[in-house]
């Protein structure tokens, strides 16, 4: 796929891509209810469609009609006669490990060649310590994973990494544990699970700072969900970045999730000098609104805090760094090494091909702004690498090898680019 240079644009986007994190959780949390769950604007991408297939194989009835997904949970979850395929989604696999580990039955989770080489130890190890029976390669660090459901002991767990996936997996396990469980983390991770579960009247208490949770075993089914899923701020980030980098450009994106744990990358852009404003709406369980951005001159920045709040946007932030005046640094982001690709290496190698001075750090990267050159880059089968460099392509023209990975999270990404005026050749 070749992305050609775009001079400028002025756009308003309503139909972006629904939030992936909330879509996954809607599907999985529906299994905790005993009535019909409804969601409008569910993300119909490969990752989240796989999650719907997983819950169908666990006995749920899933209906898709126009822009609504309806889920009727089974009375009882029993062992499926097939492998539960997670595709490329680490979120689906990690959350399902937590959910299934405390249920009666036998389950096998697997994914594509990339997901099956991503580490699952951070989830499996604490669960095995409280009685979970999980088997897999490298002592259940690598999928395929076999789970023999067991009644779990109570836990009081301090997570050394800030991870919404770890937190949610432990919450789901705690709902079927023998007694009250406690979870703590040193830095607040994304809190969609807590927000949604509290709206479902789950027996979950959250400390004022959000860092400590008390989870009671479930005594009754949770209140079913009836929600409109907002658009994904991680998906919106690419087009906001494009408006900032291209001269004489403006953008407005509507119905966007504005949870503080999801817009940290936008705050970094603001520190760099980007002109970004927000408009908030009222909503029952999340902050939702609009984002406005326009052409801006960027200056270098150093980023080392709240990394879990911007980890998905880090490759796109690298593109912003490459167009800023001075040298920017991202640190404390070693988690990027174990995403769909080694995103530190993927970013640096591709920026170098474009003539940008970029350097790998053990836990991040160092990038000096410059004039990018047209080049052919590799996506490394990583959707966020492909989309990030597509935005750089609007400035210098870029050919991306294997862009099909974009389908995992953002099926209409290329359509939106075309609507902005970009020319894409194949």
């Amino acid at each position: 796929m070749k992305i050609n240079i775009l001079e400028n644009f002025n756009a308003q986007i309503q139909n972006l891509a629904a939030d992936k994190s909330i879509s996954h959780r809607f599907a999985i949390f529906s299994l905790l209810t005993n009535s019909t769950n409804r969601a409008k604007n569910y993300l119909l991408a490969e990752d989240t469609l796989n999650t719907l297939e997983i819950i169908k194989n666990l006995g749920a009835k899933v209906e898709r009609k126009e822009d609504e997904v309806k889920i009727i949970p089974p009375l009882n979850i029993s062992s499926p006669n097939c492998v539960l395929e997670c595709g490329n989604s680490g979120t689906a696999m990690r959350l399902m490990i937590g959910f299934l580990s405390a249920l009666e039955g036998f389950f096998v989770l697997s994914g594509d060649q990339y997901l099956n080489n991503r580490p699952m130890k951070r989830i499996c190890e604490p669960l095995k310590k409280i009685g979970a029976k999980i088997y897999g390669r490298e002592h259940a660090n690598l999928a395929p994973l076999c789970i023999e459901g067991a009644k779990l002991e109570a836990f009081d767990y301090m997570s050394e990494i800030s991870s919404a996936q770890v937190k949610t997996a432990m919450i789901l396990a705690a709902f079927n544990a023998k007694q009250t469980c406690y979870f703590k983390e040193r830095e607040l991770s994304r809190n969609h699970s807590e927000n949604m579960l509290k709206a479902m009247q789950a027996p979950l208490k959250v400390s004022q700072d959000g860092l400590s949770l008390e989870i009671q075993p479930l005594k009754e089914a949770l209140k079913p969900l009836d929600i409109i899923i907002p658009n994904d701020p991680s998906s919106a980030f690419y087009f906001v970045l494009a408006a900032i980098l291209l001269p004489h450009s403006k953008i407005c994106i509507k119905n966007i999730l504005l949870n503080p744990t999801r817009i940290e990358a936008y705050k970094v852009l603001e520190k760099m000098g980007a002109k970004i404003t927000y408009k908030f709406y009222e909503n029952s369980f999340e902050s939702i609104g609009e984002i406005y951005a326009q052409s801006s001159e960027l200056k270098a920045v150093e980023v080392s805090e709240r990394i879990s709040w911007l980890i998905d946007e880090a490759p796109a932030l690298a593109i912003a760094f490459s167009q800023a005046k001075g040298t920017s640094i991202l640190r404390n982001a070693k988690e990027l090494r174990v995403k769909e690709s080694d995103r530190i290496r993927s970013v640096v190698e591709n920026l170098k091909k474009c003539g940008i001075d970029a350097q790998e750090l053990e836990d991040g990267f160092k990038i000096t702004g410059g004039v990018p050159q047209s080049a052919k880059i590799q996506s490394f089968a990583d959707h966020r690498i492909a989309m990030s460099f597509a935005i750089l392509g609007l400035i210098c023209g870029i050919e991306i090898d294997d862009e099909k990975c974009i389908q995992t999270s953002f099926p209409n990404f290329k359509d939106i680019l075309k609507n902005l005026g970009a020319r894409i050749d194949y």
Side-chain angles (χ1 to χ4, degrees), residues 5 84-85 99-100 114-115 142 148 166 168 174-176 222 235 351 354 356 366 382 396 405:
I5 295 172
L84 301 174
E85 293 287 352
F99 178 74
L100 297 172
Y114 304 102
L115 180 58
L142 300 178
E148 185 181 354
V166 171
T168 306
F175 283 150
N176 286 294
L222 300 186
S235 298
L351 283 176
C354 297
I356 298 296
K366 184 177 181 180
D382 188 330
C396 62
C405 53

Side-chain angles (χ1 to χ4, degrees), residues 65 138 251 347 360 421-422:
K65 186 177 180 181
E138 293 186 6
I251 198 165
V347 161
E360 280 190 48

